[in-house]
Amino acid sequence: MWEEVTNLAVWEMVAQFLPSASAVKGFLAGSFFTGLVGKLFERHLKKKDEKASGQRKLLTKELESINAQILPVWRSASNYYSAPSQDGAALAQKVKSDLRQIALQWTAIKASLKIYAPKVTLDNDLLKNFRQALTYGLDVKRDSPLPLDDPRHSNMEESAQELIKALTQACIKLA
Amino acid sequence: MNWNKIMKTPDKFDINIAKEFSEYPAGRFYSDGDASGQEFREKFLVPLLKQGKDRISINLDGTEGYGSSFLEEAFGGLVREGFSSEMLLRVFVFKSEEDPTILEEIQEYIQNGGNPKEY
């Protein structure tokens, strides 16, 4: 009898520290809900990561596409300056159109970088310097080729190399 | 030039280079051919500035591209003609969605007007 009383007292004491049945139910339901939300959130994050990764790959391709256009447009400009200006009207127009195309892509890529890879930036000065170097004497009447030691040649080369370097570095950062 | 438009909006004027001047702006001087920077400056910019326009908005989109020679002569040339850089930067509003770097280039020419960068 005494033992039974003692056991009862012990159980009552223990019960004080145990959660009630409804609390257990609530806890289980809560953990189920938390688990479900967690799973959904995890799936959402995974999808977001996949989308961001896809966008970064796309951006890398677009940066590579601009990069591939730098040498040809520089070459066109060099060819233009290696003859009298009247012989290169079509070439001059091509240089301007190509540069415009590059600028359009550059602007679109910069907008996408802001969203998907804000740490990767492109300095507008690089494109501006490149265009300036290539077009400063464009369409300007010149009866002979630009002398080989004219600083415009080295300016074109330097600005092209700087642009290529920056675009390559941006691709590496995106990878 | 659309003079009626100027009369309707005495203090402001909008220019779309591709539509109102040329889709193929090219060269520095008249001697370089049609649609040069000098022509654009003398036929469009100087008359508007002399009328005391408060705001001249210039849309650069839609052309087949610009050479720096054209841009420098059109805008840097204004400073060489006696217009102050500060006034020009206050009055002009440049627009280009296609290539915002052109805007920076023009501002540079206005700031360095009279002393075009030598290569």
Side-chain angles (χ1 to χ4, degrees), chain A:
Chain A
M1 166 74 182
W2 178 243
E3 264 179 26
E4 276 174 19
V5 171
T6 312
N7 282 343
L8 195 64
V10 169
W11 279 117
E12 274 176 2
M13 278 174 68
V14 170
Q16 281 180 3
F17 296 101
L18 284 174
S20 66
S22 63
V24 170
K25 238 181 183 176
F27 172 76
L28 288 175
S31 68
F32 171 74
F33 180 70
T34 311
L36 186 68
V37 169
K39 285 267 183 212
L40 287 171
F41 189 61
E42 198 176 294
R43 195 182 293 176
H44 167 73
L45 285 180
K46 200 179 166 191
K47 269 190 180 173
K48 205 178 161 190
D49 279 351
E50 281 170 1
K51 193 181 171 192
S53 164
Q55 282 295 335
R56 289 168 81 93
K57 277 182 190 164
L58 200 66
L59 281 168
T60 306
K61 277 188 181 172
E62 285 173 6
L63 284 169
E64 285 169 350
S65 154
I66 292 188
N67 218 350
Q69 295 171 64
I70 304 301
L71 284 181
V73 70
W74 169 28
R75 207 171 295 131
S76 297
S78 293
N79 289 340
Y80 169 81
Y81 289 112
S82 67
S85 60
Q86 57 268 32
D87 297 347
L91 209 48
Q93 190 52 56
K94 182 176 167 21
V95 170
K96 284 188 288 184
S97 296
D98 289 350
L99 284 170
R100 180 173 173 260
Q101 196 52 45
I102 290 172
L104 283 169
Q105 276 180 272
W106 177 278
T107 307
I109 288 176
K110 279 194 72 140
S112 297
L113 283 174
K114 261 188 193 171
I115 300 167
Y116 296 106
K119 285 182 183 169
V120 183
T121 54
L122 293 173
D123 183 358
N124 277 348
D125 275 354
L126 294 168
L127 183 62
K128 188 191 76 178
N129 293 342
F130 182 59
R131 191 184 52 240
Q132 272 182 310
L134 263 61
T135 68
Y136 203 74
L138 209 73
D139 301 315
V140 174
K141 201 174 175 192
R142 183 174 31 78
D143 296 325
S144 56
L146 204 64
L148 286 175
D149 61 349
D150 190 290
R152 250 173 287 184
H153 287 296
S154 54
N155 262 303
M156 285 195 288
E157 184 178 350
E158 277 168 29
S159 60
Q161 281 174 351
E162 278 178 24
L163 190 52
I164 288 170
K165 190 176 155 192
L167 288 164
T168 308
Q169 279 173 347
C171 286
I172 293 168
K173 279 185 194 171
L174 273 173

Side-chain angles (χ1 to χ4, degrees), chain B residues 83-100:
Chain B
F83 295 98
S84 80
S85 302
E86 294 75 22
M87 184 273 279
L88 294 173
L89 291 173
R90 197 178 58 244
V91 170
F92 287 137
V93 178
F94 299 105
K95 293 177 183 173
S96 175
E97 290 188 8
E98 293 174 358
D99 184 4

Side-chain angles (χ1 to χ4, degrees), chain B residues 19 23 25 27 48 62 67 74 87 96 103 105 116-117:
Chain B
K19 287 182 184 164
E23 283 180 37
L48 290 169
M87 184 273 279
S96 175
L103 313 184
E105 187 177 338
K117 197 173 170 182

